[in-house]
Amino acid sequence: MKTIVVSLGGSILVPSIGSHNFSAYATVLKDLAVKYRVFTVAGGGGEARRYIQVARDLGMDEAAADDIGIMVTRLNAALLAGALGPAAYPRIAETYAQAREYGESNKIVVMGGAIAGQTTDAVAAVLAEYVGACALLNITSVDGIYAADPRKDPRAERYNHLTPSRLMEVIRKTQMGAGSNTVFDIVAAKVIERSDIPLFVMDGRDPRAIREAVLEGAFSGTVVCKGRPKKLPV
Ligand code: UTP
C-alpha cells in the first residue's frame, strides 16, 4: 500500500466557534485508508490564534506562545482521532518517530504540532519524508497557491503548478508585508524542495472534494513538484 500524508487546516476542522466538521473529515480519511496508508496532521485554526494572542497579552515569549499553539493543534488531533474511532491509532503522535511506530498498526495515525517556530505545514512535510509518503495533501480553505493573498488582491493569479524553488520565491515575496499570512510555511517549502514529494494544495471546505480529488482524479488546486505536474491518484 502506498502512503499519503493529509494535512487538515484548523480553519476547516473548526470553521467558527461552536461549529466543527471532525466527523465529516473522519469519514473521508477512512475512505482514503481503504487504498492508502494514511497519516494525518491537524492544524489549530482560529482557536490556536486566540490562545496565542492570550499568551502574548500575558507577556509570554514567542516560543512559549508557539507551545500554546501546539497544544491546540493536539487538541484538534485528539478530537479527530475520536471521530475516527477504531480506525485511528488511539494515541496522538508527538514526534515523527512515534508517528512511524504507530503507523505499524496499519491504523490512521493522527499528529498535531511538533516543535516551536513553524506550523503544521512543516510537520506534514517532514512526516511525509519520515514515512516515505508518495504524496502530501495540504487541505485548506483556499483553492491553491496564489501570487498574492487572494483575499486582499482578487486579481491575484492562482498557480496550477509550481516547482519547489518557484514556491520558495512566491512565499518570500508574499511574506514581505507586515502581518502577512502565507498559504504555505517556508520551513515546509524547504522540506518539499529537498524531498521532492509532490505537494497538492486544495480547498477542502467541502470534505467530499478531498475524496473526489484523491480517489477519482478530480483534483483542482496547486501541484508543487519538479518536472511535469504530477496527478492524483498517485
Ligand atoms: P497551525 O499549523 O494551525 O498554524 O499551527 P496556522 O498557520 O494558523 O495554520 P494554517 O496553516 O493557516 O492552517 C498553529 C500554531 O501553533 C504553533 C505555531 O504558533 C502556529 O502558528 N505551532 C504549530 C508550532 O509552533 N509548531 C508546530 O509544529 C505546529
Side-chain angles (χ1 to χ4, degrees):
M1 241 187 193
K2 288 181 176 171
T3 300
I4 56 170
V5 172
V6 182
S7 177
L8 295 168
S11 60
I12 60 165
L13 289 170
V14 185
S16 59
I17 296 172
S19 74
H20 68 81
N21 298 320
F22 291 102
S23 299
Y25 289 104
T27 301
V28 171
L29 291 171
K30 284 191 258 187
D31 288 345
L32 304 189
V34 173
K35 185 167 174 202
Y36 296 99
R37 219 159 62 99
V38 177
F39 290 78
T40 187
V41 180
E47 228 70 70
R49 275 188 285 277
R50 276 186 285 279
Y51 275 90
I52 286 169
Q53 191 51 50
V54 174
R56 287 187 182 132
D57 292 347
L58 294 171
M60 292 166 73
D61 60 49
E62 285 299 303
D66 276 343
D67 285 339
I68 299 287
I70 292 170
M71 287 182 212
V72 179
T73 64
R74 288 181 180 159
L75 275 177
N76 281 345
L79 293 169
L80 183 60
L84 285 162
Y89 189 82
R91 295 187 64 182
I92 302 308
E94 295 193 355
T95 65
Y96 304 107
Q98 276 178 354
R100 193 161 50 187
E101 184 190 322
Y102 297 170
E104 282 165 19
S105 67
N106 286 325
K107 296 206 176 229
I108 299 171
V109 176
V110 191
M111 196 167 175
I115 50 160
Q118 57 175 36
T119 74
T120 47
D121 293 345
V123 174
V126 175
L127 182 61
E129 286 192 327
Y130 254 86
V131 298
C134 63
L136 166 58
L137 269 80
N138 189 278
I139 313 293
T140 172
S141 53
V142 182
D143 64 350
I145 298 173
Y146 283 77
D149 186 341
R151 282 164 290 212
K152 288 180 195 147
D153 179 0
R155 287 171 309 168
E157 181 199 355
R158 188 190 83 176
Y159 300 107
N160 293 326
H161 175 230
L162 285 171
T163 60
S165 52
R166 186 82 184 92
L167 171 65
M168 302 274 281
E169 279 170 36
V170 171
I171 294 173
R172 276 197 203 101
K173 262 192 217 145
T174 49
Q175 259 185 342
M176 301 267 287
S180 68
N181 193 2
T182 57
V183 67
F184 206 68
D185 177 328
I186 188 98
V187 182
K190 281 190 183 153
V191 176
I192 293 292
E193 187 173 39
R194 72 173 188 195
S195 67
D196 200 26
I197 294 169
L199 162 69
F200 297 86
V201 181
M202 64 172 282
D203 180 353
R205 282 174 296 179
D206 177 356
R208 285 172 304 183
I210 305 170
R211 185 189 302 112
E212 287 164 10
V214 179
L215 300 177
E216 295 160 27
F219 172 78
S220 169
T222 304
V223 185
V224 182
C225 63
K226 289 179 191 153
R228 290 160 68 87
K230 303 264 189 325
K231 286 207 166 77
L232 288 168
V234 277

